[in-house]
Amino acid sequence: MGIRTGAQYIEAVKARKPEVWLSGRKVEILFEEPVFKQPILEIAKLYDMQHDPEFQDKITHVCEETGERVNNSFLVPKSYDDLIKRRNVFEAYAKATFGLMGRTPDFLNVVVTSMYYNSWFFEKYNKNWAENVRNYYKYLRDNDIFLTHAIINPQNDRSKNSHEQKDTYTHLGAVKETPDGLVVRGAKMLATLAPVTDEVIIYSFPGFAPGDEKYALAFAIPIDTPGLRIICREPMQDGQRSFFDHPLASRFEEMDALLVFDDVVVPWDRVFLYNNVEAANKLYPMTGAGQQPAHQSGVRGLVKLEFATHVAMKVADTIGVDGYLNVQDQLGELAQSLESIRALLKVAEYEHTMTEHGEAMPAYVPLETIRGLLPKMYPRAIEVIQIVGAGGLLMSPTGADFESDELRGSIDNYYVGREGVSSLERVSIFKLAWDLCGEAFGQRLLQYERYYTGDPIRKRGIFYNNYKRQTPLTMVDEALKGAQLDNKEALTN
């Protein structure tokens, strides 16, 4: 089939019957549920972009194996030009969602593509695992499947490993082997957009210890597999808000969920790793499943930071405060942060390395630097919006107020912006800003940016240790040349 349309994606959503729980009730018809409907439509637009003449040649290519068009996120990069082709789809999808949807289909497409091309890693442990990974990649690519993932254990007792938890199956683990497949039980989070995806893939960060064998798992199954329960977090909006009053929250609410597996049968041809602590700890770094998608998240993060920066600038301009030096200082700080991330991305692409298997890998240091900086830069951008908008962010009337003949005169008089900015324009901009910096929707985006790649402190520690190992401190030795005391006896006096 190759690239599918938005309509085909929507039909797939309607055809599936996953067990989805929202605010204490089971959702019967996903597409008609207000919280999910508009996000489904936004994802459908991304699929339609693949068929749009403006974007098609930029974000898709003809697969040499099948002759069908497929998304560039399924492209195995073997050169700088291939990295740019993948960047094109990352950028197009991020701009279409203002960087506010962190788990658009391209993200996990890249993860599986990395596993596919590095199936040699799985082959070292089990030839069937390698074959399963290769077949699954082709299935995703050829059917344009939308994946979610759940790779984090629930926040229970973080001082203990999985096998030390009070309940054996608090964390997702294997129960038994059957002729039909591997039976698994327990929970994983944080499955973003899970209710509206086609399938879920499970894999994990390193951190397994001896005794955790049953929790060392990697597999993929349809999202409506029997026994799989999706428990959604509290919605950040009710799906009933108007576009005027909530221009972002009404469209881009990315539902997150806890996945509970109640003796779910995973077919053997969908098992990629099982009962092997060493393999589970090495999967993430050895297959590129960490570094390659960092390219996507970096591009998406750049667009999100750019959007927040533009909102801050527009808020300041709307009320005429960007002539003040202190405001210029804050907005200039955001602009420089933005351009720093843009430059780092270009360096990561230009200074790519080639693996021994012929895969172009975006440079590690600039990508990890982005991962370290964005969790600080984006919250700062939100803070600047809050500071510049000040009390005005709390005082916007509603669309219904604008439609009231009795109120319109007062609103036009008291909500007007600087000269040339009408009340309608000023209020629209401030509502956009409040959605981003004040509403629960915006706060979820903030928390997401802090932690989407894991604990930022732990990540920075890992980066430092890697950086130290790979960076000879020769400049220090060079600076100290000739500085030794000639009289060695002076050292003991």
Side-chain angles (χ1 to χ4, degrees):
M1 181 180 76
I3 54 174
R4 63 176 173 178
T5 65
Q8 289 171 319
Y9 161 65
I10 291 172
E11 285 307 308
V13 171
K14 291 179 177 179
R16 291 192 301 273
K17 300 295 181 184
E19 184 184 341
V20 178
W21 289 83
L22 179 70
S23 300
R25 59 187 176 82
K26 189 175 179 181
V27 177
E28 298 297 337
I29 305 177
L30 279 168
F31 187 69
E32 297 303 327
E33 186 63 39
V35 171
F36 300 134
K37 186 168 185 177
Q38 193 57 45
I40 290 171
L41 295 175
E42 297 299 331
I43 294 294
K45 291 177 185 178
L46 303 182
Y47 281 108
D48 280 336
M49 287 173 68
Q50 300 180 123
H51 300 268
D52 186 335
E54 180 183 351
F55 295 101
Q56 187 173 81
D57 288 336
K58 295 178 183 177
I59 68 174
T60 70
H61 65 281
V62 176
C63 176
E64 294 182 1
E65 184 178 352
T66 66
E68 300 281 353
R69 276 200 175 271
V70 297
N71 193 281
N72 281 355
S73 55
F74 290 113
L75 180 68
V76 175
K78 298 184 178 180
S79 66
Y80 171 79
D81 288 341
D82 285 344
L83 289 175
I84 299 305
K85 288 177 183 178
R86 292 217 308 196
R87 188 219 178 106
N88 287 339
V89 69
F90 303 159
E91 193 169 64
Y93 280 9
K95 286 185 174 180
T97 57
F98 307 101
L100 305 182
M101 299 187 88
R103 292 296 183 249
T104 47
D106 51 324
F107 178 78
L108 281 162
N109 290 352
V110 172
V111 171
V112 176
T113 300
S114 298
M115 292 181 180
Y116 156 76
Y117 195 67
N118 292 285
S119 59
W120 57 266
F121 167 79
F122 299 92
E123 189 111 24
K124 287 172 55 178
Y125 298 96
N126 188 305
K127 292 185 182 298
N128 290 333
W129 295 353
E131 186 64 20
N132 292 347
V133 167
R134 289 190 285 264
N135 289 338
Y136 190 65
Y137 160 78
K138 294 176 183 179
Y139 168 72
L140 292 185
R141 179 195 66 191
D142 299 343
N143 294 279
D144 214 1
I145 296 298
F146 183 15
L147 270 178
T148 187
H149 71 341
I151 59 175
I152 302 173
N153 292 322
Q155 286 188 339
N156 308 118
D157 188 343
R158 284 294 176 92
S159 68
K160 297 179 179 179
N161 282 83
S162 294
H163 75 277
E164 297 171 321
Q165 298 294 316
K166 184 177 180 180
D167 187 318
T168 302
Y169 291 104
T170 296
H171 299 168
L172 180 64
V175 178
K176 61 181 178 180
E177 300 179 7
T178 72
D180 294 328
L182 183 65
V183 177
V184 298
R185 184 189 305 163
K188 282 282 187 183
M189 66 179 202
L190 195 150
T192 302
L193 285 170
V196 301
T197 57
D198 298 305
E199 301 214 356
V200 58
I201 185 169
I202 302 294
Y203 58 97
S204 295
F205 290 118
F208 295 93
D212 286 335
E213 283 76 10
K214 70 173 59 180
Y215 309 99
L217 294 168
F219 63 84
I221 54 174
I223 202 68
D224 57 353
T225 297
L228 175 56
R229 173 173 290 176
I230 302 169
I231 304 177
C232 299
R233 62 158 165 77
E234 181 180 0
M236 301 302 179
Q237 56 93 25
D238 61 7
Q240 306 292 338
R241 293 176 170 181
S242 71
F243 182 93
F244 178 84
D245 289 323
H246 294 278
L248 302 177
S250 63
R251 291 183 284 168
F252 301 116
E253 159 75 309
E254 263 190 327
M255 179 54 68
D256 305 300
L258 176 75
L259 301 187
V260 179
F261 296 76
D262 185 8
D263 287 0
V264 171
V265 179
V266 180
W268 286 115
D269 63 357
R270 290 296 195 88
V271 174
F272 311 139
L273 188 153
Y274 161 52
N275 199 36
N276 191 307
V277 165
E278 178 185 279
N281 282 331
K282 290 184 176 181
L283 183 152
Y284 194 73
M286 295 300 292
T287 65
Q291 197 165 333
Q292 288 287 17
H295 188 202
Q296 187 272 357
S297 58
V299 174
R300 192 267 320 152
L302 170 68
V303 173
K304 186 176 180 179
L305 182 61
E306 185 172 31
F307 179 57
T309 300
H310 289 185
V311 170
M313 294 170 67
K314 195 71 173 178
V315 167
D317 173 74
T318 298
I319 54 176
V321 299
D322 60 350
Y324 297 118
L325 187 58
N326 65 310
V327 176
Q328 291 174 353
D329 176 60
Q330 292 172 325
L331 297 177
E333 176 192 345
L334 299 191
Q336 289 178 343
S337 294
L338 172 64
E339 294 308 320
S340 297
I341 299 299
R342 196 189 311 278
L344 284 166
L345 272 171
K346 290 185 177 181
V347 171
E349 293 158 353
Y350 184 74
E351 295 187 354
H352 69 277
T353 58
M354 298 300 298
T355 70
E356 61 180 301
H357 302 283
E359 180 183 15
M361 190 73 70
Y364 169 81
V365 169
L367 284 185
E368 283 301 310
T369 301
I370 291 172
R371 280 176 158 173
L373 291 177
L374 271 176
K376 293 189 174 184
M377 287 178 171
Y378 183 77
R380 175 57 177 159
I382 295 303
E383 182 183 37
V384 170
I385 295 173
Q386 293 169 337
I387 292 170
V388 173
L393 292 167
L394 306 175
M395 291 299 296
S396 293
T398 66
D401 293 324
F402 273 95
E403 294 174 351
S404 169
D405 293 335
E406 288 187 57
L407 294 177
R408 186 59 186 264
S410 295
I411 289 174
D412 285 341
N413 189 35
Y414 298 117
Y415 284 94
V416 68
R418 63 160 173 78
E419 185 175 352
V421 177
S422 69
S423 61
L424 184 62
E425 182 181 358
R426 179 196 173 282
V427 169
S428 295
I429 290 167
F430 270 65
K431 280 186 171 294
L432 180 75
W434 183 243
D435 247 12
L436 194 61
C437 78
E439 278 283 342
F441 168 81
Q443 294 307 302
R444 182 263 176 193
L445 291 172
L446 180 64
Q447 197 73 346
Y448 179 92
E449 211 58 48
R450 285 192 175 115
Y451 293 106
Y452 77 92
T453 190
D455 177 2
I457 295 175
R458 181 180 64 86
K459 292 285 289 184
R460 193 171 290 112
I462 293 172
F463 173 79
Y464 168 73
N465 288 323
N466 287 333
Y467 191 83
K468 182 180 178 180
R469 280 195 297 269
Q470 298 169 10
T471 307
L473 306 181
T474 54
M475 293 180 71
V476 175
D477 297 333
E478 186 69 26
L480 291 174
K481 275 185 179 179
Q484 287 77 16
L485 293 174
D486 292 332
N487 185 358
K488 295 183 180 180
E489 292 181 3
L491 295 175
T492 61
N493 292 338

